[in-house]
């Protein structure tokens, strides 16, 4: 752990975070964390905690955290999609080389419908992008 703690801490939750100001200024070097706001990254809302008024520094730190958090989540989404493609490849190998007829009976319809749905969406989105690039949409 570094000797220098950050000025702000964000307790992540599903759609944002609780923002805290970190203070180690007391003589006992205890860490005090004072909640200053609730942050919602889905709608960009920053609600000060209680009657508190956020300083410009508080808002800047929160907005920086929001931008960084959104970038992290976007990168995770893409990574999840790459993992899904890998998993589809592994599933194909399993179906071709290891799966029993009974196992295939359990999953075939579900997989076929999910893959058909995915293919339909991907083809439509690809067509939309092609038309847009040609100036036809």
């Amino acid at each position: 752990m570094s000797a220098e703690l950050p000025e702000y801490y964000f307790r992540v939750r599903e759609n944002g975070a609780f923002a805290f100001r970190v203070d180690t200024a007391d003589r006992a070097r205890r860490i005090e964390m004072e909640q200053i706001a609730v942050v919602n990254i889905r709608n960009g809302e920053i609600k000060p905690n209680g009657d508190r008024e956020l300083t410009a520094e508080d808002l800047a730190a929160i907005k920086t955290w929001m931008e960084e958090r959104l970038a992290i989540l976007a990168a995770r989404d893409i990574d999840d999609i790459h993992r899904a493609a890998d998993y589809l490849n592994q599933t194909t190998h399993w179906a071709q080389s290891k799966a029993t007829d009974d196992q295939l009976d359990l999953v075939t319809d579900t997989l076929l419908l999910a893959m058909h749905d995915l293919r339909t969406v991907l083809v439509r989105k690809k067509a939309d992008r092609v038309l847009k690039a040609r100036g036809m949409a």
Side-chain angles (χ1 to χ4, degrees):
M1 190 161 136
S2 69
E4 197 69 29
L5 290 174
E7 290 184 54
Y8 296 92
Y9 170 74
F10 296 87
R11 182 190 305 149
V12 176
R13 59 190 193 121
E14 185 178 335
N15 61 345
F18 296 105
F20 294 86
R21 185 178 297 118
V22 178
D23 183 16
T24 58
D26 72 343
R27 287 188 216 166
R29 294 289 295 162
R30 277 190 229 146
I31 298 171
E32 298 289 333
M33 294 193 328
E34 178 184 8
Q35 184 178 345
I36 61 170
V38 176
V39 180
N40 185 323
I41 59 171
R42 288 191 184 143
N43 63 14
E45 190 173 60
I46 301 169
K47 288 185 182 176
N49 192 43
D51 294 332
R52 169 180 305 283
E53 288 194 31
L54 298 174
T55 66
E57 183 180 70
D58 293 338
L59 287 170
I62 291 168
K63 288 177 181 177
T64 297
W65 177 86
M66 291 172 75
E67 290 170 7
E68 290 171 355
R69 183 69 181 168
L70 287 170
I72 287 169
L73 294 175
R76 285 183 185 169
D77 282 348
I78 293 299
D79 188 52
D80 287 347
I81 299 306
H82 286 291
R83 288 175 196 259
D86 289 348
Y87 202 70
L88 281 171
N89 287 321
Q90 292 169 3
T91 302
T92 302
H93 180 69
W94 168 83
Q96 186 173 34
S97 64
K98 298 177 184 176
T100 66
D101 288 345
D102 289 340
Q103 289 172 322
L104 288 171
D105 284 341
L106 289 172
V107 300
T108 296
D109 290 343
T110 301
L111 285 171
L112 285 172
L113 288 171
M115 290 185 307
H116 174 73
D117 186 31
L118 175 60
R119 184 183 185 283
T120 300
V121 169
L122 291 174
V123 168
R124 186 181 71 245
K125 293 285 198 169
K126 176 89 175 196
D128 290 347
R129 289 192 313 276
V130 168
L131 289 174
K132 186 177 179 181
R134 292 182 181 167
M136 301 173 79

